[in-house]
Amino acid sequence: MTTTKKQMLLDAALTLFVANGIDSTSTASIAKLANVANGTLFHHFKSKAALVHTLYLTVKQELSAQISPQKINNDCINEQAYFIWNKAIDWSITNPEKLQFFKQITYSKALSVELRAEVMAQELSFLSQLITIGQQQKIIADYPIDLMLDAAQGLFISSSSFFIDHPQYINNQDYRTSAFKIFLSALSRG
Amino acid sequence: MTTTKKQMLLDAALTLFVANGIDSTSTASIAKLANVANGTLFHHFKSKAALVHTLYLTVKQELSAQISPQKINNDCINEQAYFIWNKAIDWSITNPEKLQFFKQITYSKALSVELRAEVMAQELSFLSQLITIGQQQKIIADYPIDLMLDAAQGLFISSSSFFIDHPQYINNQDYRTSAFKIFLSALSRG
DNA sequence: GTCTATAGACAGATAGAC
DNA sequence: GTCTATCTGTCTATAGAC
Protein backbone atom coordinates (compact mmCIF):
# COMPACT_ATOMS: atom_id res chain seq x y z
CA MET A 1 0.00 0.00 0.00
CA THR A 2 1.70 3.14 -1.23
CA THR A 3 -1.14 5.55 -0.45
CA THR A 4 -0.72 7.01 3.02
CA LYS A 5 -3.65 7.56 5.34
CA LYS A 6 -3.03 11.28 5.07
CA GLN A 7 -3.54 11.13 1.31
CA MET A 8 -6.61 8.95 1.74
CA LEU A 9 -8.06 11.56 4.06
CA LEU A 10 -7.45 14.30 1.48
CA ASP A 11 -9.05 12.20 -1.26
CA ALA A 12 -12.09 11.44 0.88
CA ALA A 13 -12.42 15.07 1.87
CA LEU A 14 -12.41 16.18 -1.77
CA THR A 15 -15.17 13.73 -2.64
CA LEU A 16 -17.39 14.72 0.26
CA PHE A 17 -16.74 18.46 0.00
CA VAL A 18 -17.83 18.38 -3.63
CA ALA A 19 -20.87 16.21 -2.91
CA ASN A 20 -22.18 18.04 0.16
CA GLY A 21 -20.30 21.29 0.52
CA ILE A 22 -17.40 22.01 2.84
CA ASP A 23 -19.25 23.15 5.95
CA SER A 24 -21.84 20.41 5.68
CA THR A 25 -19.18 17.70 5.65
CA SER A 26 -18.28 16.40 9.09
CA THR A 27 -14.78 15.27 9.98
CA ALA A 28 -16.34 11.99 11.08
CA SER A 29 -17.68 11.29 7.59
CA ILE A 30 -14.31 12.08 6.03
CA ALA A 31 -12.56 9.67 8.37
CA LYS A 32 -15.17 7.00 7.72
CA LEU A 33 -14.87 7.22 3.93
CA ALA A 34 -11.09 7.13 4.22
CA ASN A 35 -11.35 4.01 6.41
CA VAL A 36 -9.49 5.79 9.15
CA ALA A 37 -10.37 6.53 12.75
CA ASN A 38 -11.66 9.93 13.71
CA GLY A 39 -8.68 10.69 15.91
CA THR A 40 -6.25 9.91 13.10
CA LEU A 41 -7.63 12.80 11.09
CA PHE A 42 -6.72 15.17 13.89
CA HIS A 43 -3.28 13.63 14.13
CA HIS A 44 -2.50 14.64 10.53
CA PHE A 45 -4.40 17.93 10.48
CA LYS A 46 -4.60 20.06 13.57
CA SER A 47 -8.12 21.18 12.64
CA LYS A 48 -10.73 20.84 9.93
CA ALA A 49 -9.69 24.26 8.62
CA ALA A 50 -6.10 23.02 8.28
CA LEU A 51 -7.32 20.10 6.18
CA VAL A 52 -9.28 22.43 3.89
CA HIS A 53 -6.26 24.69 3.63
CA THR A 54 -3.93 21.82 2.69
CA LEU A 55 -6.38 20.50 0.13
CA TYR A 56 -6.70 23.93 -1.47
CA LEU A 57 -2.93 24.32 -1.83
CA THR A 58 -2.59 20.80 -3.24
CA VAL A 59 -5.24 21.33 -5.90
CA LYS A 60 -3.93 24.77 -6.84
CA GLN A 61 -0.39 23.52 -7.27
CA GLU A 62 -1.57 20.62 -9.37
CA LEU A 63 -3.45 22.90 -11.73
CA SER A 64 -0.51 25.26 -11.95
CA ALA A 65 1.94 22.45 -12.70
CA GLN A 66 -0.39 21.17 -15.38
CA ILE A 67 -0.83 24.39 -17.33
CA SER A 68 2.34 26.41 -16.79
CA PRO A 69 4.55 26.46 -19.88
CA GLN A 70 8.21 25.48 -19.72
CA LYS A 71 9.23 28.82 -21.04
CA ILE A 72 7.55 32.04 -22.09
CA ASN A 73 8.93 33.68 -25.21
CA ASN A 74 8.02 36.59 -27.45
CA ASP A 75 6.71 34.39 -30.24
CA CYS A 76 3.06 34.24 -31.18
CA ILE A 77 1.22 35.14 -27.99
CA ASN A 78 -2.10 33.86 -29.29
CA GLU A 79 -0.66 30.41 -29.80
CA GLN A 80 0.87 30.26 -26.34
CA ALA A 81 -2.46 31.37 -24.90
CA TYR A 82 -4.17 28.63 -26.91
CA PHE A 83 -2.00 25.91 -25.39
CA ILE A 84 -2.37 27.18 -21.84
CA TRP A 85 -6.15 27.57 -22.18
CA ASN A 86 -6.62 24.07 -23.56
CA LYS A 87 -4.39 22.49 -20.95
CA ALA A 88 -6.46 24.25 -18.29
CA ILE A 89 -9.76 23.09 -19.76
CA ASP A 90 -8.42 19.55 -20.18
CA TRP A 91 -7.28 19.49 -16.57
CA SER A 92 -10.71 20.54 -15.35
CA ILE A 93 -12.43 17.93 -17.50
CA THR A 94 -10.08 15.23 -16.24
CA ASN A 95 -10.52 16.40 -12.65
CA PRO A 96 -14.10 17.63 -12.36
CA GLU A 97 -14.15 17.19 -8.59
CA LYS A 98 -11.08 19.32 -8.18
CA LEU A 99 -12.51 22.05 -10.35
CA GLN A 100 -15.76 21.95 -8.40
CA PHE A 101 -13.87 22.25 -5.13
CA PHE A 102 -11.77 25.09 -6.54
CA LYS A 103 -14.94 26.88 -7.64
CA GLN A 104 -16.66 26.42 -4.29
CA ILE A 105 -13.76 27.64 -2.25
CA THR A 106 -12.94 30.54 -4.59
CA TYR A 107 -16.41 31.98 -4.12
CA SER A 108 -16.90 31.11 -0.46
CA LYS A 109 -15.67 32.55 2.80
CA ALA A 110 -13.64 29.46 3.73
CA LEU A 111 -10.33 31.12 2.85
CA SER A 112 -9.17 34.66 3.42
CA VAL A 113 -9.04 37.01 0.44
CA GLU A 114 -5.36 37.54 1.17
CA LEU A 115 -4.41 33.87 0.93
CA ARG A 116 -6.33 33.46 -2.30
CA ALA A 117 -4.67 36.51 -3.84
CA GLU A 118 -1.24 35.36 -2.69
CA VAL A 119 -1.57 31.86 -4.12
CA MET A 120 -3.02 33.29 -7.32
CA ALA A 121 -0.08 35.65 -7.76
CA GLN A 122 2.53 33.01 -6.99
CA GLU A 123 1.17 30.08 -8.92
CA LEU A 124 -0.10 31.99 -11.93
CA SER A 125 2.63 34.61 -12.33
CA PHE A 126 3.31 33.40 -15.86
CA LEU A 127 -0.12 34.59 -16.87
CA SER A 128 0.69 38.19 -15.95
CA GLN A 129 3.94 37.91 -17.89
CA LEU A 130 2.14 36.68 -20.98
CA ILE A 131 -0.41 39.50 -20.83
CA THR A 132 2.33 42.11 -20.46
CA ILE A 133 4.22 40.79 -23.49
CA GLY A 134 0.99 40.75 -25.50
CA GLN A 135 0.32 44.36 -24.54
CA GLN A 136 3.78 45.43 -25.68
CA GLN A 137 3.11 43.73 -29.00
CA LYS A 138 -0.24 45.54 -29.30
CA ILE A 139 -2.06 42.21 -29.41
CA ILE A 140 -3.60 42.27 -25.95
CA ALA A 141 -5.74 45.22 -24.84
CA ASP A 142 -4.38 47.80 -22.43
CA TYR A 143 -6.95 47.21 -19.73
CA PRO A 144 -5.82 47.19 -16.09
CA ILE A 145 -4.04 43.89 -15.51
CA ASP A 146 -5.78 43.01 -12.25
CA LEU A 147 -9.16 43.35 -13.94
CA MET A 148 -7.97 41.17 -16.83
CA LEU A 149 -6.73 38.42 -14.54
CA ASP A 150 -10.06 38.29 -12.72
CA ALA A 151 -11.93 38.19 -16.02
CA ALA A 152 -9.68 35.40 -17.29
CA GLN A 153 -10.30 33.37 -14.15
CA GLY A 154 -14.03 34.00 -14.40
CA LEU A 155 -14.10 32.76 -17.99
CA PHE A 156 -12.02 29.72 -17.14
CA ILE A 157 -14.36 28.76 -14.33
CA SER A 158 -17.54 29.35 -16.35
CA SER A 159 -16.22 27.46 -19.39
CA SER A 160 -14.90 24.53 -17.40
CA SER A 161 -18.15 24.28 -15.49
CA PHE A 162 -20.05 24.34 -18.74
CA PHE A 163 -18.18 21.36 -20.15
CA ILE A 164 -18.46 19.44 -16.90
CA ASP A 165 -22.20 20.10 -16.75
CA HIS A 166 -22.63 19.25 -20.44
CA PRO A 167 -20.16 16.42 -21.14
CA GLN A 168 -21.65 15.79 -24.57
CA TYR A 169 -19.85 18.91 -25.80
CA ILE A 170 -16.38 18.05 -24.48
CA ASN A 171 -15.19 16.74 -27.85
CA ASN A 172 -17.32 19.11 -29.89
CA GLN A 173 -14.84 21.30 -31.76
CA ASP A 174 -17.38 24.09 -32.25
CA TYR A 175 -17.88 24.46 -28.51
CA ARG A 176 -14.20 24.01 -27.68
CA THR A 177 -13.09 26.59 -30.24
CA SER A 178 -15.84 29.00 -29.27
CA ALA A 179 -14.83 28.86 -25.64
CA PHE A 180 -11.26 29.77 -26.49
CA LYS A 181 -12.35 32.53 -28.87
CA ILE A 182 -14.51 34.08 -26.18
CA PHE A 183 -11.54 34.01 -23.83
CA LEU A 184 -9.05 35.40 -26.35
CA SER A 185 -11.24 38.14 -27.81
CA ALA A 186 -12.23 39.25 -24.31
CA LEU A 187 -8.62 40.21 -23.70
CA SER A 188 -7.58 41.16 -27.24
CA ARG A 189 -7.09 44.62 -28.64
CA GLY A 190 -10.19 45.80 -30.50
CA MET B 1 -42.90 49.93 12.09
CA THR B 2 -43.55 48.87 8.53
CA THR B 3 -40.85 46.19 8.38
CA THR B 4 -42.31 42.82 9.27
CA LYS B 5 -40.46 40.29 11.37
CA LYS B 6 -40.29 38.02 8.37
CA GLN B 7 -38.45 40.69 6.41
CA MET B 8 -36.18 41.39 9.37
CA LEU B 9 -35.29 37.71 9.44
CA LEU B 10 -34.43 37.77 5.73
CA ASP B 11 -32.29 40.88 6.18
CA ALA B 12 -30.47 39.40 9.14
CA ALA B 13 -29.93 36.13 7.29
CA LEU B 14 -28.40 37.93 4.32
CA THR B 15 -25.97 39.78 6.55
CA LEU B 16 -24.86 36.68 8.42
CA PHE B 17 -24.73 34.40 5.38
CA VAL B 18 -22.38 36.81 3.66
CA ALA B 19 -20.25 37.33 6.75
CA ASN B 20 -19.88 33.69 7.80
CA GLY B 21 -21.19 31.53 5.02
CA ILE B 22 -24.59 29.89 4.82
CA ASP B 23 -23.89 26.60 6.57
CA SER B 24 -21.87 28.27 9.30
CA THR B 25 -24.75 30.54 10.22
CA SER B 26 -27.07 29.18 12.87
CA THR B 27 -30.78 29.90 12.91
CA ALA B 28 -30.30 31.10 16.48
CA SER B 29 -27.89 33.83 15.37
CA ILE B 30 -30.26 34.93 12.62
CA ALA B 31 -33.12 35.23 15.07
CA LYS B 32 -30.93 37.10 17.53
CA LEU B 33 -29.75 39.68 14.98
CA ALA B 34 -33.34 40.17 13.84
CA ASN B 35 -34.42 40.72 17.45
CA VAL B 36 -36.83 37.85 17.12
CA ALA B 37 -37.25 34.66 19.08
CA ASN B 38 -35.88 31.41 17.69
CA GLY B 39 -39.30 29.84 17.39
CA THR B 40 -40.59 32.78 15.33
CA LEU B 41 -38.09 31.95 12.61
CA PHE B 42 -39.60 28.49 12.29
CA HIS B 43 -43.07 29.95 12.24
CA HIS B 44 -42.26 31.93 9.07
CA PHE B 45 -39.98 29.37 7.44
CA LYS B 46 -40.60 25.68 7.86
CA SER B 47 -36.86 25.00 7.83
CA LYS B 48 -33.52 26.70 7.44
CA ALA B 49 -33.39 25.47 3.84
CA ALA B 50 -36.75 27.15 3.15
CA LEU B 51 -35.35 30.43 4.43
CA VAL B 52 -32.32 30.15 2.13
CA HIS B 53 -34.60 29.30 -0.76
CA THR B 54 -36.85 32.30 -0.17
CA LEU B 55 -33.88 34.63 0.15
CA TYR B 56 -32.43 33.35 -3.11
CA LEU B 57 -35.65 33.98 -5.02
CA THR B 58 -36.02 37.45 -3.50
CA VAL B 59 -32.51 38.51 -4.49
CA LYS B 60 -32.78 37.02 -7.96
CA GLN B 61 -36.04 38.79 -8.68
CA GLU B 62 -34.66 42.07 -7.43
CA LEU B 63 -31.65 41.87 -9.76
CA SER B 64 -33.84 40.89 -12.67
CA ALA B 65 -36.25 43.78 -12.08
CA GLN B 66 -33.32 46.17 -11.85
CA ILE B 67 -31.59 45.30 -15.13
CA SER B 68 -34.30 44.10 -17.48
CA PRO B 69 -35.12 46.69 -20.14
CA GLN B 70 -38.66 47.90 -20.76
CA LYS B 71 -38.49 46.82 -24.35
CA ILE B 72 -35.98 45.20 -26.66
CA ASN B 73 -35.74 46.61 -30.16
CA ASN B 74 -33.54 46.18 -33.19
CA ASP B 75 -31.67 49.43 -32.70
CA CYS B 76 -28.03 49.53 -31.75
CA ILE B 77 -27.43 46.31 -29.85
CA ASN B 78 -24.15 47.51 -28.39
CA GLU B 79 -25.86 50.43 -26.73
CA GLN B 80 -28.62 48.29 -25.26
CA ALA B 81 -25.97 45.91 -23.93
CA TYR B 82 -24.14 48.88 -22.44
CA PHE B 83 -27.16 49.96 -20.46
CA ILE B 84 -27.95 46.48 -19.19
CA TRP B 85 -24.34 45.81 -18.22
CA ASN B 86 -24.02 49.05 -16.31
CA LYS B 87 -27.32 48.62 -14.53
CA ALA B 88 -26.15 45.17 -13.45
CA ILE B 89 -22.78 46.44 -12.20
CA ASP B 90 -24.45 49.35 -10.44
CA TRP B 91 -26.89 47.01 -8.73
CA SER B 92 -24.07 44.83 -7.45
CA ILE B 93 -22.12 47.83 -6.19
CA THR B 94 -25.21 49.19 -4.45
CA ASN B 95 -25.99 45.75 -3.01
CA PRO B 96 -22.61 44.10 -2.37
CA GLU B 97 -24.09 41.73 0.19
CA LYS B 98 -26.69 40.52 -2.25
CA LEU B 99 -24.10 39.93 -4.95
CA GLN B 100 -21.89 38.06 -2.50
CA PHE B 101 -24.80 35.87 -1.47
CA PHE B 102 -25.72 35.29 -5.10
CA LYS B 103 -22.12 34.30 -5.85
CA GLN B 104 -21.88 31.95 -2.89
CA ILE B 105 -25.10 30.18 -3.61
CA THR B 106 -24.53 29.98 -7.36
CA TYR B 107 -21.30 28.05 -6.81
CA SER B 108 -22.36 26.01 -3.78
CA LYS B 109 -24.46 22.94 -3.28
CA ALA B 110 -27.13 24.73 -1.28
CA LEU B 111 -29.61 24.76 -4.16
CA SER B 112 -30.38 22.14 -6.75
CA VAL B 113 -28.91 22.58 -10.22
CA GLU B 114 -32.42 22.39 -11.64
CA LEU B 115 -33.80 25.29 -9.63
CA ARG B 116 -30.83 27.46 -10.46
CA ALA B 117 -31.09 26.69 -14.18
CA GLU B 118 -34.83 27.36 -14.16
CA VAL B 119 -34.60 30.70 -12.40
CA MET B 120 -31.63 31.66 -14.57
CA ALA B 121 -33.49 30.89 -17.78
CA GLN B 122 -36.51 32.90 -16.72
CA GLU B 123 -34.52 35.86 -15.57
CA LEU B 124 -32.14 35.96 -18.51
CA SER B 125 -34.66 35.42 -21.28
CA PHE B 126 -34.25 38.98 -22.49
CA LEU B 127 -30.49 38.41 -22.72
CA SER B 128 -30.97 35.46 -25.07
CA GLN B 129 -33.25 37.63 -27.21
CA LEU B 130 -30.66 40.38 -27.37
CA ILE B 131 -27.91 37.95 -28.38
CA THR B 132 -30.07 36.44 -31.10
CA ILE B 133 -30.84 39.86 -32.58
CA GLY B 134 -27.15 40.75 -32.44
CA GLN B 135 -26.27 37.56 -34.27
CA GLN B 136 -28.78 38.30 -37.03
CA GLN B 137 -27.21 41.73 -37.42
CA LYS B 138 -23.73 40.13 -37.61
CA ILE B 139 -22.64 42.10 -34.55
CA ILE B 140 -22.56 39.26 -32.03
CA ALA B 141 -20.52 36.13 -32.71
CA ASP B 142 -22.22 32.89 -33.72
CA TYR B 143 -21.05 30.86 -30.76
CA PRO B 144 -23.47 28.44 -29.12
CA ILE B 145 -25.89 30.52 -27.07
CA ASP B 146 -25.72 28.43 -23.91
CA LEU B 147 -21.95 28.84 -23.82
CA MET B 148 -22.30 32.59 -24.33
CA LEU B 149 -24.80 32.97 -21.52
CA ASP B 150 -22.51 31.14 -19.11
CA ALA B 151 -19.57 33.27 -20.19
CA ALA B 152 -21.61 36.44 -19.74
CA GLN B 153 -22.63 35.42 -16.25
CA GLY B 154 -19.03 34.52 -15.40
CA LEU B 155 -17.82 37.94 -16.51
CA PHE B 156 -20.58 39.71 -14.64
CA ILE B 157 -19.70 37.90 -11.43
CA SER B 158 -15.94 38.40 -11.77
CA SER B 159 -16.29 42.09 -12.66
CA SER B 160 -18.79 42.85 -9.91
CA SER B 161 -16.63 41.05 -7.38
CA PHE B 162 -13.64 43.01 -8.55
CA PHE B 163 -15.31 46.35 -7.92
CA ILE B 164 -16.65 45.25 -4.56
CA ASP B 165 -13.22 44.00 -3.49
CA HIS B 166 -11.52 47.15 -4.81
CA PRO B 167 -13.99 49.98 -4.12
CA GLN B 168 -11.42 52.62 -5.05
CA TYR B 169 -12.04 51.77 -8.70
CA ILE B 170 -15.83 52.02 -8.66
CA ASN B 171 -15.84 55.54 -10.08
CA ASN B 172 -12.70 55.05 -12.15
CA GLN B 173 -13.84 55.40 -15.76
CA ASP B 174 -10.87 53.44 -17.08
CA TYR B 175 -11.82 50.39 -15.03
CA ARG B 176 -15.53 50.74 -15.66
CA THR B 177 -15.10 51.11 -19.41
CA SER B 178 -12.55 48.28 -19.54
CA ALA B 179 -14.90 45.91 -17.75
CA PHE B 180 -17.66 46.59 -20.29
CA LYS B 181 -15.25 46.29 -23.23
CA ILE B 182 -14.06 42.91 -21.97
CA PHE B 183 -17.66 41.78 -21.74
CA LEU B 184 -18.69 43.14 -25.14
CA SER B 185 -15.67 41.98 -27.11
CA ALA B 186 -15.92 38.52 -25.55
CA LEU B 187 -19.26 38.10 -27.30
CA SER B 188 -18.67 40.22 -30.40
CA ARG B 189 -17.95 39.03 -33.89
CA GLY B 190 -14.20 39.04 -34.59
C1' DG C 1 0.62 6.36 14.02
C1' DT C 2 -3.63 4.46 14.91
C1' DC C 3 -7.25 3.34 17.50
C1' DT C 4 -11.70 3.82 20.95
C1' DA C 5 -14.29 6.49 23.76
C1' DT C 6 -16.04 10.62 25.08
C1' DA C 7 -16.02 15.42 26.50
C1' DG C 8 -18.27 19.70 25.77
C1' DA C 9 -20.52 22.82 22.93
C1' DC C 10 -24.07 23.79 19.85
C1' DA C 11 -27.12 22.74 16.04
C1' DG C 12 -32.13 22.50 14.09
C1' DA C 13 -36.56 21.91 15.32
C1' DT C 14 -40.83 21.37 18.49
C1' DA C 15 -44.31 22.19 22.35
C1' DG C 16 -47.14 24.91 24.63
C1' DA C 17 -48.15 29.35 27.26
C1' DC C 18 -49.62 33.93 26.19
C1' DG D 1 -47.74 35.65 15.87
C1' DT D 2 -44.44 35.61 19.30
C1' DC D 3 -42.34 33.99 23.08
C1' DT D 4 -39.51 30.61 26.50
C1' DA D 5 -37.93 26.29 27.37
C1' DT D 6 -36.23 22.17 25.90
C1' DC D 7 -35.50 17.82 23.27
C1' DT D 8 -32.56 15.11 20.39
C1' DG D 9 -28.94 14.61 17.56
C1' DT D 10 -24.46 15.99 15.74
C1' DC D 11 -20.33 18.39 15.65
C1' DT D 12 -15.08 19.29 16.50
C1' DA D 13 -11.51 18.06 19.14
C1' DT D 14 -9.05 15.63 22.97
C1' DA D 15 -7.31 11.79 26.11
C1' DG D 16 -5.15 7.80 26.62
C1' DA D 17 -4.47 2.72 25.49
C1' DC D 18 -2.02 -0.02 22.12
Side-chain angles (χ1 to χ4, degrees), chain B residues 5 36-37 40 43-44:
Chain B
K5 301 226 167 192
V36 159
T40 305
H43 171 75
H44 290 289

Short mmCIF file of all heavy atoms in Angstrom, two decimals, chain B residues 5 36-37 40 43-44, chain D residues 1-6:
data_model
loop_
_atom_site.label_atom_id
_atom_site.label_comp_id
_atom_site.label_asym_id
_atom_site.label_seq_id
_atom_site.Cartn_x
_atom_site.Cartn_y
_atom_site.Cartn_z
N LYS B 5 -41.48 41.16 10.78
CA LYS B 5 -40.46 40.29 11.37
C LYS B 5 -39.91 39.33 10.34
O LYS B 5 -38.74 38.96 10.38
CB LYS B 5 -41.05 39.52 12.56
CG LYS B 5 -41.59 40.45 13.64
CD LYS B 5 -41.17 40.05 15.03
CE LYS B 5 -41.46 41.17 16.02
NZ LYS B 5 -40.85 40.98 17.32
N VAL B 36 -35.65 38.70 17.22
CA VAL B 36 -36.83 37.85 17.12
C VAL B 36 -36.51 36.55 17.84
O VAL B 36 -35.36 36.13 17.89
CB VAL B 36 -37.15 37.60 15.63
CG1 VAL B 36 -38.00 36.37 15.45
CG2 VAL B 36 -37.83 38.82 15.01
N ALA B 37 -37.51 35.92 18.39
CA ALA B 37 -37.25 34.66 19.08
C ALA B 37 -36.99 33.54 18.07
O ALA B 37 -37.45 33.58 16.93
CB ALA B 37 -38.42 34.28 19.95
N THR B 40 -39.92 31.95 16.34
CA THR B 40 -40.59 32.78 15.33
C THR B 40 -40.02 32.51 13.95
O THR B 40 -40.75 32.52 12.95
CB THR B 40 -40.41 34.27 15.70
OG1 THR B 40 -40.91 34.46 17.02
CG2 THR B 40 -41.19 35.15 14.74
N HIS B 43 -41.67 29.70 12.58
CA HIS B 43 -43.07 29.95 12.24
C HIS B 43 -43.16 30.45 10.79
O HIS B 43 -44.04 30.04 10.04
CB HIS B 43 -43.69 30.97 13.19
CG HIS B 43 -45.05 31.43 12.77
ND1 HIS B 43 -46.17 30.65 12.90
CD2 HIS B 43 -45.45 32.57 12.17
CE1 HIS B 43 -47.21 31.30 12.42
NE2 HIS B 43 -46.82 32.47 11.96
N HIS B 44 -42.21 31.33 10.42
CA HIS B 44 -42.26 31.93 9.07
C HIS B 44 -41.64 31.04 8.01
O HIS B 44 -42.03 31.11 6.85
CB HIS B 44 -41.57 33.29 9.10
CG HIS B 44 -42.33 34.34 9.86
ND1 HIS B 44 -43.50 34.88 9.39
CD2 HIS B 44 -42.10 34.91 11.06
CE1 HIS B 44 -43.95 35.76 10.27
NE2 HIS B 44 -43.12 35.80 11.29
P DG D 1 -49.33 35.99 10.28
OP1 DG D 1 -48.23 35.36 9.59
OP2 DG D 1 -50.57 35.30 10.54
"O5'" DG D 1 -48.91 36.64 11.63
"C5'" DG D 1 -49.12 36.00 12.95
"C4'" DG D 1 -48.38 36.84 13.94
"O4'" DG D 1 -48.76 36.47 15.29
"C3'" DG D 1 -46.87 36.61 13.89
"O3'" DG D 1 -46.28 37.78 14.46
"C2'" DG D 1 -46.69 35.40 14.79
"C1'" DG D 1 -47.74 35.65 15.87
N9 DG D 1 -48.39 34.44 16.39
C8 DG D 1 -48.88 33.37 15.68
N7 DG D 1 -49.42 32.45 16.44
C5 DG D 1 -49.28 32.96 17.74
C6 DG D 1 -49.68 32.42 19.00
O6 DG D 1 -50.26 31.35 19.22
N1 DG D 1 -49.35 33.26 20.04
C2 DG D 1 -48.73 34.48 19.90
N2 DG D 1 -48.49 35.15 21.04
N3 DG D 1 -48.36 34.99 18.73
C4 DG D 1 -48.66 34.18 17.71
P DT D 2 -44.66 38.01 14.41
OP1 DT D 2 -44.44 39.46 14.27
OP2 DT D 2 -44.14 37.06 13.43
"O5'" DT D 2 -44.17 37.59 15.87
"C5'" DT D 2 -44.58 38.36 16.99
"C4'" DT D 2 -44.24 37.64 18.26
"O4'" DT D 2 -45.09 36.47 18.42
"C3'" DT D 2 -42.81 37.09 18.35
"O3'" DT D 2 -42.02 37.92 19.20
"C2'" DT D 2 -42.97 35.67 18.90
"C1'" DT D 2 -44.44 35.61 19.30
N1 DT D 2 -45.06 34.25 19.17
C2 DT D 2 -45.50 33.60 20.30
O2 DT D 2 -45.42 34.08 21.40
N3 DT D 2 -46.05 32.36 20.07
C4 DT D 2 -46.18 31.73 18.85
O4 DT D 2 -46.69 30.62 18.79
C5 DT D 2 -45.70 32.46 17.71
C7 DT D 2 -45.79 31.85 16.35
C6 DT D 2 -45.17 33.67 17.91
P DC D 3 -40.50 37.53 19.53
OP1 DC D 3 -39.80 38.76 19.91
OP2 DC D 3 -40.01 36.69 18.42
"O5'" DC D 3 -40.65 36.61 20.83
"C5'" DC D 3 -41.05 37.20 22.06
"C4'" DC D 3 -41.45 36.13 23.06
"O4'" DC D 3 -42.41 35.25 22.44
"C3'" DC D 3 -40.32 35.22 23.52
"O3'" DC D 3 -39.65 35.78 24.64
"C2'" DC D 3 -41.04 33.93 23.88
"C1'" DC D 3 -42.34 33.99 23.08
N1 DC D 3 -42.44 32.94 22.01
C2 DC D 3 -43.02 31.69 22.34
O2 DC D 3 -43.41 31.50 23.51
N3 DC D 3 -43.12 30.74 21.39
C4 DC D 3 -42.68 31.00 20.14
N4 DC D 3 -42.83 30.03 19.23
C5 DC D 3 -42.10 32.24 19.79
C6 DC D 3 -41.99 33.17 20.75
P DT D 4 -38.21 35.25 25.06
OP1 DT D 4 -37.56 36.28 25.91
OP2 DT D 4 -37.55 34.78 23.83
"O5'" DT D 4 -38.54 33.97 25.95
"C5'" DT D 4 -39.53 34.05 26.99
"C4'" DT D 4 -39.70 32.68 27.62
"O4'" DT D 4 -40.32 31.76 26.68
"C3'" DT D 4 -38.39 32.01 28.06
"O3'" DT D 4 -38.59 31.37 29.31
"C2'" DT D 4 -38.10 31.00 26.93
"C1'" DT D 4 -39.51 30.61 26.50
N1 DT D 4 -39.64 30.21 25.07
C2 DT D 4 -40.28 29.04 24.76
O2 DT D 4 -40.76 28.29 25.59
N3 DT D 4 -40.37 28.77 23.40
C4 DT D 4 -39.88 29.55 22.37
O4 DT D 4 -40.02 29.20 21.20
C5 DT D 4 -39.22 30.76 22.78
C7 DT D 4 -38.66 31.69 21.73
C6 DT D 4 -39.13 31.04 24.08
P DA D 5 -37.33 30.71 30.07
OP1 DA D 5 -37.52 30.93 31.51
OP2 DA D 5 -36.08 31.12 29.40
"O5'" DA D 5 -37.57 29.16 29.77
"C5'" DA D 5 -38.90 28.64 29.76
"C4'" DA D 5 -38.86 27.19 29.32
"O4'" DA D 5 -38.96 27.11 27.88
"C3'" DA D 5 -37.56 26.44 29.70
"O3'" DA D 5 -37.89 25.17 30.22
"C2'" DA D 5 -36.79 26.37 28.39
"C1'" DA D 5 -37.93 26.29 27.37
N9 DA D 5 -37.61 26.77 26.03
C8 DA D 5 -36.86 27.86 25.69
N7 DA D 5 -36.73 28.04 24.39
C5 DA D 5 -37.45 26.99 23.84
C6 DA D 5 -37.71 26.61 22.53
N6 DA D 5 -37.25 27.28 21.46
N1 DA D 5 -38.47 25.51 22.32
C2 DA D 5 -38.94 24.84 23.38
N3 DA D 5 -38.76 25.10 24.67
C4 DA D 5 -38.00 26.20 24.84
P DT D 6 -36.71 24.22 30.83
OP1 DT D 6 -37.24 23.62 32.07
OP2 DT D 6 -35.42 24.94 30.82
"O5'" DT D 6 -36.66 23.10 29.69
"C5'" DT D 6 -37.86 22.75 29.01
"C4'" DT D 6 -37.54 21.92 27.78
"O4'" DT D 6 -37.28 22.77 26.63
"C3'" DT D 6 -36.27 21.05 27.94
"O3'" DT D 6 -36.61 19.73 27.55
"C2'" DT D 6 -35.29 21.66 26.97
"C1'" DT D 6 -36.23 22.17 25.90
N1 DT D 6 -35.65 23.19 24.97
C2 DT D 6 -35.93 23.08 23.63
O2 DT D 6 -36.62 22.21 23.16
N3 DT D 6 -35.34 24.06 22.84
C4 DT D 6 -34.53 25.09 23.28
O4 DT D 6 -34.08 25.89 22.49
C5 DT D 6 -34.28 25.14 24.70
C7 DT D 6 -33.41 26.22 25.27
C6 DT D 6 -34.85 24.20 25.47
#
